[in-house]
Amino acid sequence: MAFTCISDRGDLGLYSLTMSDSTVTVGRRKVRRPRALSPLREHLRDTFWFAPTGAMVVVCVVWLATSWLDEAIVGALQDGGEYDAVKELMGFTEDAKTIVTTVSSAMMTFIGVVFSISLVAVQMAGGQFSPRVVRLFVRSRITKLTFAVFLATFLLSLLVLTSYDSEQDPQVVTTVPFLQAFLTLGMVALSLLLFVMYVNSTLRMMRVSHVIDRVTWEAFRVVARMPSGEAGDAELGPVGVQVAYAGRAGVLRDVNIARLVRIARHHGIVLRLIPRIGDFVVPGTPVFAVHGGAAPSRRALRYCVSVGVERSFHQDLGFGLRVLADIGLRALSPAVNDPTTAVQAIDRIVQFLAAVGTGPLDTLRYTDRGGAVRLVQPVPGWGELVDLGFSEIRGCAAGEPQVTRRLFAGFDDLLSLAPEERREPLLRHRELLAQGVERSVPDAADRAFALRPDRQGIG
């Protein structure tokens, strides 16, 4: 990734969001506030290779340690003349060898069957809800942990089989894999437990209510990372130069906020991100505007911007609403025709908008330890979030009274929560929805029914 410089001369229960220094509360649900501003952890969560690879490395280290302990135990027993004890250990390990051999031969087949079925389930979920929900399966901790433990158990069983000594005399045997056999049996038990948890988790993720809940929770994690306060361009001074992107074309996934703040502090400048997270950038697109000094070197900014093939939840404030709107649209399509699922998506759209409706939007600023603004990041404004959440669903909902009734109730709830200056987009969408119902429903009684607010749609 490279950059070039361009000179430039010119509180209601369901809707509550509470944040403290260490925790974030959404309604009655609490989690630890995300601390790291570096996207590395989130990038690793978006991969499927890291956890299994790490597990296999760890199991190799553990096997080496237990192998050394087994040799030490056998050596100590032989030095003390406890040959009967060595013989008993050999008898136990010979009995366990059958289990270890069975595990080594069956585990890979088991892994292939289980995860083949899982891939089919993921494909069905992506087709039913939205292709963007597949990311939730990839980021699932229980899925990665199960796969990692399965592979680690298979590898451990192979390693343990290499430790068996062909010598059967307890006086001259060099090692008895006693601890290794115990460790293998423990890994098998852990694999069975994780398999049950994995099946339960996969079945939950195939249910639309849990998918929608998880998408909403990922969206709130973005809100939890947002700093308080706003900053406008007038506070930053004139723009000296702009830094242009020179890497491959793609979606701006996130930026390394911690690193950018350190760079800006070191150079005594303010960096302003020009595109929003989620925008598609091509080589030559201005990415940063530099206020108050010269631009940092290309080497300093090399790993500060992440561009990929798709958007992610990490720093993208609008992506959660995008996925919820996609689920609602898919539910309202003639091929699916599931207005109840659309109502569930609207529930969460209203929840998210109600939570962010009183906070700062449009622009975020990040400060260094001294309190000086070092990085300014644009985010969607209130009107843009309202349009994103409601425009497409509203356009497809006029003929579905269950959905229109839920939308009217959502608008009324948001109007009661939003400040006066943020009521206009809500009133506009409410009026457009009423006009759409007027055009689509000719019967007066049906029209009056469709225009009546109801938080459950039709119950």
Side-chain angles (χ1 to χ4, degrees), residues 180-256:
Q180 299 174 58
F182 255 121
L183 180 61
T184 305
L185 295 178
M187 291 292 290
V188 170
L190 179 60
S191 299
L192 294 176
L193 175 62
L194 286 176
F195 174 67
V196 175
M197 297 175 61
Y198 169 75
V199 171
N200 179 68
S201 175
T202 303
L203 292 177
R204 283 169 57 90
M205 290 300 294
M206 293 178 64
R207 296 164 59 184
V208 66
S209 57
H210 293 285
V211 172
I212 291 175
D213 179 71
R214 186 61 186 176
V215 170
T216 307
W217 189 239
E218 291 285 355
F220 274 113
R221 284 172 55 86
V222 182
V223 179
R225 293 187 179 94
M226 291 170 52
S228 59
E230 296 179 279
D233 291 349
E235 304 175 17
L236 308 178
V239 179
V241 295
Q242 289 185 345
V243 180
Y245 176 67
R248 64 173 185 173
V251 176
L252 181 60
R253 299 175 59 197
D254 49 45
V255 295
N256 193 325

Side-chain angles (χ1 to χ4, degrees), residues 144-204:
K144 295 178 182 178
L145 181 60
T146 304
F147 191 50
V149 171
F150 282 7
L151 288 178
T153 303
F154 170 71
L155 178 60
L156 179 62
S157 64
L158 295 181
L159 295 174
V160 172
L161 288 175
T162 64
S163 299
Y164 276 89
D165 198 330
S166 59
E167 179 61 54
Q168 299 298 315
D169 189 348
Q171 298 185 25
V172 297
V173 67
T174 59
T175 181
V176 178
F178 174 71
L179 294 178
Q180 299 174 58
F182 255 121
L183 180 61
T184 305
L185 295 178
M187 291 292 290
V188 170
L190 179 60
S191 299
L192 294 176
L193 175 62
L194 286 176
F195 174 67
V196 175
M197 297 175 61
Y198 169 75
V199 171
N200 179 68
S201 175
T202 303
L203 292 177
R204 283 169 57 90

